[in-house]
Amino acid sequence: AQKITQTQPGMFVQEKEAVTLDCTYDTSDQSYGLFWYKQPSSGEMIFLIYQGSYDEQNATEGRYSLNFQKARKSANLVISASQLGDSAMYFCAMREGGSGGGADGLTFGKGTHLIIQP
Amino acid sequence: ETGVTQTPRHLVMGMTNKKSLKCEQHLGHNAMYWYKQSAKKPLELMFVYNFKEQTENNSVPSRFSPECPNSSHLFLHLHTLQPEDSALYLCASSRPGLAAYNEQFFGPGTRLTVL
């Protein structure tokens, strides 16, 4: 079973509109972290936002916010006032409470290709 | 140089060649990672190093051989690869700790093509 599911392979959004990218996850750990990364066509993964499983408030970073619904195991990314430069692949990822001494790899979803149209 | 750098950015090799990918981080981190990104597949974790010690090998074939001589450098030695190994190889680093927050900083990747 997939641990991270992103159900939207691609999305077209009008510039300046808000956009929600879906992510659901599956884990039996109590302690875990959820991440969103942006990957432009250049290939580099850019960290956007983090949500810890024990965080009671939804994370926000500038125009990015994470709609965390723990009971539903959902961690959707919301981008407000989208810009042309937001066009990229977006990946949801999870870090589970592993035994790597804090150095645990991330499990990624398949990503959503977001295209912002003028 | 700042952040995480990877060289070369592009590599074309034959199946009988031996080559190495290099990753260097200038962030003072102690954990380093190799990921593979194939077309239409999620990023796959390959190896994890924590304080130069390998802590995870995600069932990677032996034709991929990692090396971590110190906390700032990570190599991926390649030999007798297959065409299906063609992918973007991403290196990342992080500051390990017991806190759940553990943002990984990624390099630009090496685009590998195996002929």
Side-chain angles (χ1 to χ4, degrees), chain A residues 35 37 39 42 44-45 47 50 91 95 100-106 108-110, chain B residues 9 31 33 35 37 42-43 45 48 50 88 97 99-104 106-107:
Chain A
F35 301 77
Y37 282 85
Q39 187 179 40
S42 58
E44 185 170 355
M45 299 287 283
F47 167 75
Y50 164 83
F91 293 93
R95 173 177 176 255
D104 302 295
L106 299 177
F108 284 82
K110 291 184 177 180
Chain B
R9 294 293 307 276
Y33 312 77
Y35 289 87
Q37 186 177 27
L43 272 81
L45 178 69
V48 180
N50 192 11
L88 181 67
Y101 179 76
N102 187 24
E103 174 192 349
Q104 293 183 13
F106 284 80

PDB file of all heavy atoms in Angstrom, chain A residues 35 37 39 42 44-45 47 50 91 95 100-106 108-110, chain B residues 9 31 33 35 37 42-43 45 48 50 88 97 99-104 106-107:
ATOM      1  N   PHE A  35       5.939  16.822   5.030  1.00  0.00           N
ATOM      2  CA  PHE A  35       6.664  17.863   4.317  1.00  0.00           C
ATOM      3  C   PHE A  35       6.040  18.066   2.934  1.00  0.00           C
ATOM      4  O   PHE A  35       5.524  17.132   2.328  1.00  0.00           O
ATOM      5  CB  PHE A  35       8.127  17.463   4.102  1.00  0.00           C
ATOM      6  CG  PHE A  35       8.905  17.179   5.356  1.00  0.00           C
ATOM      7  CD1 PHE A  35       8.742  15.979   6.043  1.00  0.00           C
ATOM      8  CD2 PHE A  35       9.802  18.107   5.849  1.00  0.00           C
ATOM      9  CE1 PHE A  35       9.464  15.713   7.198  1.00  0.00           C
ATOM     10  CE2 PHE A  35      10.533  17.850   6.997  1.00  0.00           C
ATOM     11  CZ  PHE A  35      10.374  16.644   7.668  1.00  0.00           C
ATOM     12  N   TYR A  37       7.424  19.644  -0.772  1.00  0.00           N
ATOM     13  CA  TYR A  37       8.535  20.150  -1.555  1.00  0.00           C
ATOM     14  C   TYR A  37       8.031  20.578  -2.927  1.00  0.00           C
ATOM     15  O   TYR A  37       7.094  19.991  -3.473  1.00  0.00           O
ATOM     16  CB  TYR A  37       9.611  19.074  -1.741  1.00  0.00           C
ATOM     17  CG  TYR A  37      10.505  18.849  -0.545  1.00  0.00           C
ATOM     18  CD1 TYR A  37      10.111  17.987   0.490  1.00  0.00           C
ATOM     19  CD2 TYR A  37      11.729  19.486  -0.439  1.00  0.00           C
ATOM     20  CE1 TYR A  37      10.936  17.772   1.580  1.00  0.00           C
ATOM     21  CE2 TYR A  37      12.563  19.271   0.648  1.00  0.00           C
ATOM     22  CZ  TYR A  37      12.156  18.421   1.648  1.00  0.00           C
ATOM     23  OH  TYR A  37      12.972  18.212   2.736  1.00  0.00           O
ATOM     24  N   GLN A  39       9.369  21.152  -6.916  1.00  0.00           N
ATOM     25  CA  GLN A  39      10.447  20.813  -7.844  1.00  0.00           C
ATOM     26  C   GLN A  39      10.203  21.510  -9.175  1.00  0.00           C
ATOM     27  O   GLN A  39       9.411  21.044  -9.994  1.00  0.00           O
ATOM     28  CB  GLN A  39      10.558  19.305  -8.038  1.00  0.00           C
ATOM     29  CG  GLN A  39      11.779  18.891  -8.857  1.00  0.00           C
ATOM     30  CD  GLN A  39      11.906  17.395  -9.037  1.00  0.00           C
ATOM     31  OE1 GLN A  39      10.916  16.701  -9.251  1.00  0.00           O
ATOM     32  NE2 GLN A  39      13.130  16.869  -8.935  1.00  0.00           N
ATOM     33  N   SER A  42      14.058  22.724 -13.263  1.00  0.00           N
ATOM     34  CA  SER A  42      15.505  22.608 -13.069  1.00  0.00           C
ATOM     35  C   SER A  42      15.880  21.355 -12.269  1.00  0.00           C
ATOM     36  O   SER A  42      17.021  20.908 -12.310  1.00  0.00           O
ATOM     37  CB  SER A  42      16.046  23.847 -12.347  1.00  0.00           C
ATOM     38  OG  SER A  42      15.388  24.010 -11.098  1.00  0.00           O
ATOM     39  N   GLU A  44      15.820  20.743  -8.851  1.00  0.00           N
ATOM     40  CA  GLU A  44      16.121  20.841  -7.425  1.00  0.00           C
ATOM     41  C   GLU A  44      14.850  20.806  -6.592  1.00  0.00           C
ATOM     42  O   GLU A  44      13.845  21.399  -6.943  1.00  0.00           O
ATOM     43  CB  GLU A  44      16.890  22.132  -7.140  1.00  0.00           C
ATOM     44  CG  GLU A  44      17.364  22.267  -5.712  1.00  0.00           C
ATOM     45  CD  GLU A  44      18.317  23.433  -5.540  1.00  0.00           C
ATOM     46  OE1 GLU A  44      18.667  24.069  -6.540  1.00  0.00           O
ATOM     47  OE2 GLU A  44      18.733  23.677  -4.392  1.00  0.00           O
ATOM     48  N   MET A  45      14.893  20.078  -5.491  1.00  0.00           N
ATOM     49  CA  MET A  45      13.752  19.993  -4.571  1.00  0.00           C
ATOM     50  C   MET A  45      13.853  21.140  -3.576  1.00  0.00           C
ATOM     51  O   MET A  45      14.861  21.281  -2.886  1.00  0.00           O
ATOM     52  CB  MET A  45      13.773  18.664  -3.813  1.00  0.00           C
ATOM     53  CG  MET A  45      13.684  17.448  -4.712  1.00  0.00           C
ATOM     54  SD  MET A  45      12.048  17.241  -5.392  1.00  0.00           S
ATOM     55  CE  MET A  45      11.201  16.583  -3.979  1.00  0.00           C
ATOM     56  N   PHE A  47      12.248  22.927  -0.265  1.00  0.00           N
ATOM     57  CA  PHE A  47      11.383  22.725   0.891  1.00  0.00           C
ATOM     58  C   PHE A  47      10.403  23.885   1.025  1.00  0.00           C
ATOM     59  O   PHE A  47      10.784  25.055   0.913  1.00  0.00           O
ATOM     60  CB  PHE A  47      12.236  22.620   2.154  1.00  0.00           C
ATOM     61  CG  PHE A  47      11.454  22.719   3.433  1.00  0.00           C
ATOM     62  CD1 PHE A  47      10.692  21.665   3.866  1.00  0.00           C
ATOM     63  CD2 PHE A  47      11.483  23.881   4.188  1.00  0.00           C
ATOM     64  CE1 PHE A  47       9.968  21.749   5.046  1.00  0.00           C
ATOM     65  CE2 PHE A  47      10.779  23.975   5.364  1.00  0.00           C
ATOM     66  CZ  PHE A  47      10.011  22.910   5.802  1.00  0.00           C
ATOM     67  N   TYR A  50       6.430  22.368   6.712  1.00  0.00           N
ATOM     68  CA  TYR A  50       6.493  21.161   7.545  1.00  0.00           C
ATOM     69  C   TYR A  50       5.351  21.165   8.559  1.00  0.00           C
ATOM     70  O   TYR A  50       4.985  22.214   9.094  1.00  0.00           O
ATOM     71  CB  TYR A  50       7.831  21.110   8.287  1.00  0.00           C
ATOM     72  CG  TYR A  50       7.852  20.138   9.435  1.00  0.00           C
ATOM     73  CD1 TYR A  50       8.094  18.794   9.209  1.00  0.00           C
ATOM     74  CD2 TYR A  50       7.609  20.574  10.738  1.00  0.00           C
ATOM     75  CE1 TYR A  50       8.106  17.900  10.264  1.00  0.00           C
ATOM     76  CE2 TYR A  50       7.618  19.677  11.792  1.00  0.00           C
ATOM     77  CZ  TYR A  50       7.874  18.339  11.549  1.00  0.00           C
ATOM     78  OH  TYR A  50       7.874  17.448  12.578  1.00  0.00           O
ATOM     79  N   PHE A  91       5.545  17.828  -4.287  1.00  0.00           N
ATOM     80  CA  PHE A  91       5.597  16.521  -3.659  1.00  0.00           C
ATOM     81  C   PHE A  91       5.273  16.619  -2.178  1.00  0.00           C
ATOM     82  O   PHE A  91       5.805  17.482  -1.468  1.00  0.00           O
ATOM     83  CB  PHE A  91       6.981  15.898  -3.818  1.00  0.00           C
ATOM     84  CG  PHE A  91       7.336  15.544  -5.233  1.00  0.00           C
ATOM     85  CD1 PHE A  91       8.038  16.438  -6.028  1.00  0.00           C
ATOM     86  CD2 PHE A  91       6.959  14.325  -5.778  1.00  0.00           C
ATOM     87  CE1 PHE A  91       8.365  16.118  -7.338  1.00  0.00           C
ATOM     88  CE2 PHE A  91       7.276  13.996  -7.088  1.00  0.00           C
ATOM     89  CZ  PHE A  91       7.978  14.897  -7.870  1.00  0.00           C
ATOM     90  N   ARG A  95       8.080  11.676   7.072  1.00  0.00           N
ATOM     91  CA  ARG A  95       9.157  11.071   7.829  1.00  0.00           C
ATOM     92  C   ARG A  95       8.520  10.402   9.041  1.00  0.00           C
ATOM     93  O   ARG A  95       7.877  11.067   9.844  1.00  0.00           O
ATOM     94  CB  ARG A  95      10.165  12.115   8.285  1.00  0.00           C
ATOM     95  CG  ARG A  95      11.226  11.557   9.237  1.00  0.00           C
ATOM     96  CD  ARG A  95      12.245  12.616   9.590  1.00  0.00           C
ATOM     97  NE  ARG A  95      13.207  12.122  10.565  1.00  0.00           N
ATOM     98  CZ  ARG A  95      13.202  12.467  11.848  1.00  0.00           C
ATOM     99  NH1 ARG A  95      12.291  13.292  12.312  1.00  0.00           N
ATOM    100  NH2 ARG A  95      14.107  11.989  12.659  1.00  0.00           N
ATOM    101  N   GLY A 100      16.835   5.700  12.857  1.00  0.00           N
ATOM    102  CA  GLY A 100      18.069   6.193  12.260  1.00  0.00           C
ATOM    103  C   GLY A 100      18.744   7.294  13.057  1.00  0.00           C
ATOM    104  O   GLY A 100      19.544   8.030  12.498  1.00  0.00           O
ATOM    105  N   GLY A 101      18.406   7.411  14.328  1.00  0.00           N
ATOM    106  CA  GLY A 101      19.037   8.444  15.147  1.00  0.00           C
ATOM    107  C   GLY A 101      18.675   9.839  14.685  1.00  0.00           C
ATOM    108  O   GLY A 101      19.441  10.778  14.836  1.00  0.00           O
ATOM    109  N   GLY A 102      17.510   9.963  14.097  1.00  0.00           N
ATOM    110  CA  GLY A 102      17.076  11.266  13.603  1.00  0.00           C
ATOM    111  C   GLY A 102      17.387  11.450  12.131  1.00  0.00           C
ATOM    112  O   GLY A 102      16.934  12.404  11.519  1.00  0.00           O
ATOM    113  N   ALA A 103      18.159  10.571  11.548  1.00  0.00           N
ATOM    114  CA  ALA A 103      18.478  10.650  10.122  1.00  0.00           C
ATOM    115  C   ALA A 103      17.655   9.602   9.395  1.00  0.00           C
ATOM    116  O   ALA A 103      18.126   8.513   9.083  1.00  0.00           O
ATOM    117  CB  ALA A 103      19.969  10.410   9.889  1.00  0.00           C
ATOM    118  N   ASP A 104      16.422   9.907   9.177  1.00  0.00           N
ATOM    119  CA  ASP A 104      15.521   8.973   8.523  1.00  0.00           C
ATOM    120  C   ASP A 104      15.107   9.508   7.167  1.00  0.00           C
ATOM    121  O   ASP A 104      14.810  10.691   7.030  1.00  0.00           O
ATOM    122  CB  ASP A 104      14.266   8.742   9.375  1.00  0.00           C
ATOM    123  CG  ASP A 104      14.607   8.216  10.745  1.00  0.00           C
ATOM    124  OD1 ASP A 104      15.122   7.090  10.817  1.00  0.00           O
ATOM    125  OD2 ASP A 104      14.388   8.940  11.731  1.00  0.00           O
ATOM    126  N   GLY A 105      15.072   8.637   6.189  1.00  0.00           N
ATOM    127  CA  GLY A 105      14.695   9.063   4.858  1.00  0.00           C
ATOM    128  C   GLY A 105      13.233   9.444   4.778  1.00  0.00           C
ATOM    129  O   GLY A 105      12.420   9.079   5.629  1.00  0.00           O
ATOM    130  N   LEU A 106      12.905  10.189   3.767  1.00  0.00           N
ATOM    131  CA  LEU A 106      11.529  10.597   3.526  1.00  0.00           C
ATOM    132  C   LEU A 106      10.875   9.655   2.519  1.00  0.00           C
ATOM    133  O   LEU A 106      11.524   9.165   1.596  1.00  0.00           O
ATOM    134  CB  LEU A 106      11.481  12.026   2.971  1.00  0.00           C
ATOM    135  CG  LEU A 106      12.059  13.129   3.861  1.00  0.00           C
ATOM    136  CD1 LEU A 106      12.003  14.467   3.153  1.00  0.00           C
ATOM    137  CD2 LEU A 106      11.330  13.187   5.187  1.00  0.00           C
ATOM    138  N   PHE A 108       8.077   9.713  -0.353  1.00  0.00           N
ATOM    139  CA  PHE A 108       7.433  10.713  -1.188  1.00  0.00           C
ATOM    140  C   PHE A 108       6.216  10.152  -1.914  1.00  0.00           C
ATOM    141  O   PHE A 108       6.136   8.964  -2.216  1.00  0.00           O
ATOM    142  CB  PHE A 108       8.418  11.223  -2.249  1.00  0.00           C
ATOM    143  CG  PHE A 108       9.443  12.179  -1.727  1.00  0.00           C
ATOM    144  CD1 PHE A 108      10.589  11.728  -1.088  1.00  0.00           C
ATOM    145  CD2 PHE A 108       9.263  13.550  -1.871  1.00  0.00           C
ATOM    146  CE1 PHE A 108      11.533  12.611  -0.600  1.00  0.00           C
ATOM    147  CE2 PHE A 108      10.213  14.444  -1.387  1.00  0.00           C
ATOM    148  CZ  PHE A 108      11.343  13.971  -0.757  1.00  0.00           C
ATOM    149  N   GLY A 109       5.266  11.061  -2.221  1.00  0.00           N
ATOM    150  CA  GLY A 109       4.181  10.728  -3.121  1.00  0.00           C
ATOM    151  C   GLY A 109       4.628  10.905  -4.565  1.00  0.00           C
ATOM    152  O   GLY A 109       5.758  11.303  -4.834  1.00  0.00           O
ATOM    153  N   LYS A 110       3.715  10.624  -5.504  1.00  0.00           N
ATOM    154  CA  LYS A 110       4.055  10.700  -6.921  1.00  0.00           C
ATOM    155  C   LYS A 110       4.069  12.122  -7.451  1.00  0.00           C
ATOM    156  O   LYS A 110       4.561  12.370  -8.549  1.00  0.00           O
ATOM    157  CB  LYS A 110       3.083   9.858  -7.742  1.00  0.00           C
ATOM    158  CG  LYS A 110       3.229   8.367  -7.516  1.00  0.00           C
ATOM    159  CD  LYS A 110       2.310   7.576  -8.437  1.00  0.00           C
ATOM    160  CE  LYS A 110       2.530   6.076  -8.246  1.00  0.00           C
ATOM    161  NZ  LYS A 110       1.655   5.277  -9.134  1.00  0.00           N
TER     162      LYS A 110
ATOM    163  N   ARG B   9      26.395  17.362 -13.301  1.00  0.00           N
ATOM    164  CA  ARG B   9      24.950  17.595 -13.403  1.00  0.00           C
ATOM    165  C   ARG B   9      24.313  16.646 -14.419  1.00  0.00           C
ATOM    166  O   ARG B   9      23.151  16.290 -14.287  1.00  0.00           O
ATOM    167  CB  ARG B   9      24.689  19.037 -13.819  1.00  0.00           C
ATOM    168  CG  ARG B   9      25.103  20.072 -12.767  1.00  0.00           C
ATOM    169  CD  ARG B   9      24.232  19.986 -11.516  1.00  0.00           C
ATOM    170  NE  ARG B   9      22.823  20.048 -11.827  1.00  0.00           N
ATOM    171  CZ  ARG B   9      22.143  21.161 -12.008  1.00  0.00           C
ATOM    172  NH1 ARG B   9      22.743  22.334 -11.898  1.00  0.00           N
ATOM    173  NH2 ARG B   9      20.842  21.133 -12.277  1.00  0.00           N
ATOM    174  N   ALA B  31      23.904  14.328   8.439  1.00  0.00           N
ATOM    175  CA  ALA B  31      23.213  13.225   7.767  1.00  0.00           C
ATOM    176  C   ALA B  31      23.142  13.518   6.276  1.00  0.00           C
ATOM    177  O   ALA B  31      22.891  14.658   5.876  1.00  0.00           O
ATOM    178  CB  ALA B  31      21.803  13.056   8.336  1.00  0.00           C
ATOM    179  N   TYR B  33      21.940  11.759   2.285  1.00  0.00           N
ATOM    180  CA  TYR B  33      21.015  10.806   1.676  1.00  0.00           C
ATOM    181  C   TYR B  33      21.216  10.756   0.156  1.00  0.00           C
ATOM    182  O   TYR B  33      21.522  11.777  -0.467  1.00  0.00           O
ATOM    183  CB  TYR B  33      19.559  11.238   1.930  1.00  0.00           C
ATOM    184  CG  TYR B  33      19.222  11.606   3.350  1.00  0.00           C
ATOM    185  CD1 TYR B  33      19.591  12.834   3.885  1.00  0.00           C
ATOM    186  CD2 TYR B  33      18.506  10.727   4.162  1.00  0.00           C
ATOM    187  CE1 TYR B  33      19.273  13.178   5.191  1.00  0.00           C
ATOM    188  CE2 TYR B  33      18.173  11.066   5.461  1.00  0.00           C
ATOM    189  CZ  TYR B  33      18.557  12.298   5.970  1.00  0.00           C
ATOM    190  OH  TYR B  33      18.230  12.644   7.269  1.00  0.00           O
ATOM    191  N   TYR B  35      18.798   9.722  -3.147  1.00  0.00           N
ATOM    192  CA  TYR B  35      17.483   9.368  -3.659  1.00  0.00           C
ATOM    193  C   TYR B  35      17.581   9.169  -5.168  1.00  0.00           C
ATOM    194  O   TYR B  35      18.379   9.806  -5.839  1.00  0.00           O
ATOM    195  CB  TYR B  35      16.465  10.486  -3.411  1.00  0.00           C
ATOM    196  CG  TYR B  35      16.039  10.688  -1.978  1.00  0.00           C
ATOM    197  CD1 TYR B  35      16.762  11.512  -1.126  1.00  0.00           C
ATOM    198  CD2 TYR B  35      14.890  10.075  -1.479  1.00  0.00           C
ATOM    199  CE1 TYR B  35      16.356  11.715   0.194  1.00  0.00           C
ATOM    200  CE2 TYR B  35      14.474  10.278  -0.169  1.00  0.00           C
ATOM    201  CZ  TYR B  35      15.211  11.107   0.653  1.00  0.00           C
ATOM    202  OH  TYR B  35      14.801  11.308   1.949  1.00  0.00           O
ATOM    203  N   GLN B  37      15.158   9.362  -8.645  1.00  0.00           N
ATOM    204  CA  GLN B  37      13.869   9.814  -9.185  1.00  0.00           C
ATOM    205  C   GLN B  37      13.751   9.352 -10.630  1.00  0.00           C
ATOM    206  O   GLN B  37      14.388   9.922 -11.527  1.00  0.00           O
ATOM    207  CB  GLN B  37      13.728  11.339  -9.094  1.00  0.00           C
ATOM    208  CG  GLN B  37      12.348  11.828  -9.503  1.00  0.00           C
ATOM    209  CD  GLN B  37      12.185  13.325  -9.336  1.00  0.00           C
ATOM    210  OE1 GLN B  37      13.149  14.085  -9.389  1.00  0.00           O
ATOM    211  NE2 GLN B  37      10.949  13.773  -9.123  1.00  0.00           N
ATOM    212  N   PRO B  42       7.608   7.853  -7.765  1.00  0.00           N
ATOM    213  CA  PRO B  42       7.983   8.725  -6.651  1.00  0.00           C
ATOM    214  C   PRO B  42       9.488   8.638  -6.392  1.00  0.00           C
ATOM    215  O   PRO B  42      10.131   7.658  -6.759  1.00  0.00           O
ATOM    216  CB  PRO B  42       7.207   8.155  -5.462  1.00  0.00           C
ATOM    217  CG  PRO B  42       6.221   7.217  -6.028  1.00  0.00           C
ATOM    218  CD  PRO B  42       6.742   6.750  -7.331  1.00  0.00           C
ATOM    219  N   LEU B  43      10.014   9.658  -5.742  1.00  0.00           N
ATOM    220  CA  LEU B  43      11.405   9.587  -5.304  1.00  0.00           C
ATOM    221  C   LEU B  43      11.582   8.376  -4.407  1.00  0.00           C
ATOM    222  O   LEU B  43      10.761   8.105  -3.527  1.00  0.00           O
ATOM    223  CB  LEU B  43      11.788  10.833  -4.492  1.00  0.00           C
ATOM    224  CG  LEU B  43      12.305  12.017  -5.247  1.00  0.00           C
ATOM    225  CD1 LEU B  43      11.155  12.814  -5.823  1.00  0.00           C
ATOM    226  CD2 LEU B  43      13.152  12.899  -4.341  1.00  0.00           C
ATOM    227  N   LEU B  45      14.118   6.480  -1.743  1.00  0.00           N
ATOM    228  CA  LEU B  45      15.292   6.563  -0.892  1.00  0.00           C
ATOM    229  C   LEU B  45      16.221   5.395  -1.208  1.00  0.00           C
ATOM    230  O   LEU B  45      15.766   4.246  -1.320  1.00  0.00           O
ATOM    231  CB  LEU B  45      14.878   6.506   0.575  1.00  0.00           C
ATOM    232  CG  LEU B  45      15.995   6.527   1.610  1.00  0.00           C
ATOM    233  CD1 LEU B  45      16.681   7.889   1.629  1.00  0.00           C
ATOM    234  CD2 LEU B  45      15.444   6.176   2.987  1.00  0.00           C
ATOM    235  N   VAL B  48      21.159   6.092   3.433  1.00  0.00           N
ATOM    236  CA  VAL B  48      21.233   7.127   4.449  1.00  0.00           C
ATOM    237  C   VAL B  48      22.546   6.965   5.193  1.00  0.00           C
ATOM    238  O   VAL B  48      22.923   5.844   5.569  1.00  0.00           O
ATOM    239  CB  VAL B  48      20.068   7.045   5.459  1.00  0.00           C
ATOM    240  CG1 VAL B  48      20.188   8.149   6.509  1.00  0.00           C
ATOM    241  CG2 VAL B  48      18.726   7.132   4.751  1.00  0.00           C
ATOM    242  N   ASN B  50      24.591   8.685   8.552  1.00  0.00           N
ATOM    243  CA  ASN B  50      24.498   9.526   9.726  1.00  0.00           C
ATOM    244  C   ASN B  50      25.864   9.535  10.405  1.00  0.00           C
ATOM    245  O   ASN B  50      26.344   8.487  10.835  1.00  0.00           O
ATOM    246  CB  ASN B  50      23.423   8.989  10.681  1.00  0.00           C
ATOM    247  CG  ASN B  50      23.080   9.966  11.786  1.00  0.00           C
ATOM    248  OD1 ASN B  50      23.475  11.128  11.750  1.00  0.00           O
ATOM    249  ND2 ASN B  50      22.329   9.504  12.767  1.00  0.00           N
ATOM    250  N   LEU B  88      17.165  10.655 -12.389  1.00  0.00           N
ATOM    251  CA  LEU B  88      17.753  11.803 -11.699  1.00  0.00           C
ATOM    252  C   LEU B  88      18.154  11.332 -10.302  1.00  0.00           C
ATOM    253  O   LEU B  88      17.317  10.811  -9.558  1.00  0.00           O
ATOM    254  CB  LEU B  88      16.753  12.950 -11.606  1.00  0.00           C
ATOM    255  CG  LEU B  88      17.231  14.231 -10.917  1.00  0.00           C
ATOM    256  CD1 LEU B  88      18.321  14.922 -11.735  1.00  0.00           C
ATOM    257  CD2 LEU B  88      16.058  15.195 -10.692  1.00  0.00           C
ATOM    258  N   GLY B  97      18.592  14.635  14.632  1.00  0.00           N
ATOM    259  CA  GLY B  97      18.277  14.906  16.024  1.00  0.00           C
ATOM    260  C   GLY B  97      17.007  14.181  16.365  1.00  0.00           C
ATOM    261  O   GLY B  97      16.343  13.614  15.503  1.00  0.00           O
ATOM    262  N   ALA B  99      14.302  15.484  17.428  1.00  0.00           N
ATOM    263  CA  ALA B  99      13.091  16.226  17.091  1.00  0.00           C
ATOM    264  C   ALA B  99      12.513  15.694  15.790  1.00  0.00           C
ATOM    265  O   ALA B  99      13.241  15.281  14.892  1.00  0.00           O
ATOM    266  CB  ALA B  99      13.406  17.716  16.953  1.00  0.00           C
ATOM    267  N   ALA B 100      11.203  15.704  15.681  1.00  0.00           N
ATOM    268  CA  ALA B 100      10.559  15.201  14.471  1.00  0.00           C
ATOM    269  C   ALA B 100      10.889  16.063  13.267  1.00  0.00           C
ATOM    270  O   ALA B 100      10.965  15.587  12.151  1.00  0.00           O
ATOM    271  CB  ALA B 100       9.046  15.127  14.671  1.00  0.00           C
ATOM    272  N   TYR B 101      11.105  17.366  13.527  1.00  0.00           N
ATOM    273  CA  TYR B 101      11.423  18.256  12.423  1.00  0.00           C
ATOM    274  C   TYR B 101      12.810  17.949  11.913  1.00  0.00           C
ATOM    275  O   TYR B 101      13.777  17.996  12.645  1.00  0.00           O
ATOM    276  CB  TYR B 101      11.346  19.708  12.874  1.00  0.00           C
ATOM    277  CG  TYR B 101      11.690  20.678  11.774  1.00  0.00           C
ATOM    278  CD1 TYR B 101      10.773  20.950  10.775  1.00  0.00           C
ATOM    279  CD2 TYR B 101      12.922  21.295  11.741  1.00  0.00           C
ATOM    280  CE1 TYR B 101      11.074  21.838   9.758  1.00  0.00           C
ATOM    281  CE2 TYR B 101      13.228  22.186  10.734  1.00  0.00           C
ATOM    282  CZ  TYR B 101      12.298  22.462   9.748  1.00  0.00           C
ATOM    283  OH  TYR B 101      12.606  23.338   8.748  1.00  0.00           O
ATOM    284  N   ASN B 102      12.913  17.618  10.659  1.00  0.00           N
ATOM    285  CA  ASN B 102      14.186  17.220  10.085  1.00  0.00           C
ATOM    286  C   ASN B 102      14.173  17.539   8.603  1.00  0.00           C
ATOM    287  O   ASN B 102      14.205  16.661   7.768  1.00  0.00           O
ATOM    288  CB  ASN B 102      14.402  15.722  10.304  1.00  0.00           C
ATOM    289  CG  ASN B 102      15.780  15.258   9.884  1.00  0.00           C
ATOM    290  OD1 ASN B 102      16.713  16.038   9.839  1.00  0.00           O
ATOM    291  ND2 ASN B 102      15.908  13.987   9.581  1.00  0.00           N
ATOM    292  N   GLU B 103      14.143  18.829   8.306  1.00  0.00           N
ATOM    293  CA  GLU B 103      14.089  19.249   6.910  1.00  0.00           C
ATOM    294  C   GLU B 103      15.324  18.765   6.182  1.00  0.00           C
ATOM    295  O   GLU B 103      16.449  18.864   6.684  1.00  0.00           O
ATOM    296  CB  GLU B 103      14.027  20.772   6.832  1.00  0.00           C
ATOM    297  CG  GLU B 103      14.113  21.323   5.424  1.00  0.00           C
ATOM    298  CD  GLU B 103      14.339  22.813   5.424  1.00  0.00           C
ATOM    299  OE1 GLU B 103      14.219  23.436   6.495  1.00  0.00           O
ATOM    300  OE2 GLU B 103      14.658  23.359   4.352  1.00  0.00           O
ATOM    301  N   GLN B 104      15.115  18.209   5.016  1.00  0.00           N
ATOM    302  CA  GLN B 104      16.218  17.779   4.178  1.00  0.00           C
ATOM    303  C   GLN B 104      16.419  18.794   3.068  1.00  0.00           C
ATOM    304  O   GLN B 104      15.480  19.201   2.398  1.00  0.00           O
ATOM    305  CB  GLN B 104      15.937  16.389   3.604  1.00  0.00           C
ATOM    306  CG  GLN B 104      15.922  15.320   4.693  1.00  0.00           C
ATOM    307  CD  GLN B 104      15.722  13.924   4.175  1.00  0.00           C
ATOM    308  OE1 GLN B 104      15.825  13.649   2.987  1.00  0.00           O
ATOM    309  NE2 GLN B 104      15.433  13.004   5.083  1.00  0.00           N
ATOM    310  N   PHE B 106      18.080  19.583  -0.503  1.00  0.00           N
ATOM    311  CA  PHE B 106      18.459  18.799  -1.672  1.00  0.00           C
ATOM    312  C   PHE B 106      19.422  19.552  -2.580  1.00  0.00           C
ATOM    313  O   PHE B 106      19.379  20.779  -2.684  1.00  0.00           O
ATOM    314  CB  PHE B 106      17.215  18.428  -2.489  1.00  0.00           C
ATOM    315  CG  PHE B 106      16.408  17.317  -1.886  1.00  0.00           C
ATOM    316  CD1 PHE B 106      15.527  17.566  -0.842  1.00  0.00           C
ATOM    317  CD2 PHE B 106      16.522  16.020  -2.361  1.00  0.00           C
ATOM    318  CE1 PHE B 106      14.778  16.546  -0.273  1.00  0.00           C
ATOM    319  CE2 PHE B 106      15.779  14.983  -1.809  1.00  0.00           C
ATOM    320  CZ  PHE B 106      14.908  15.249  -0.764  1.00  0.00           C
ATOM    321  N   GLY B 107      20.257  18.774  -3.252  1.00  0.00           N
ATOM    322  CA  GLY B 107      21.082  19.310  -4.309  1.00  0.00           C
ATOM    323  C   GLY B 107      20.305  19.340  -5.613  1.00  0.00           C
ATOM    324  O   GLY B 107      19.164  18.897  -5.674  1.00  0.00           O
TER     325      GLY B 107
END
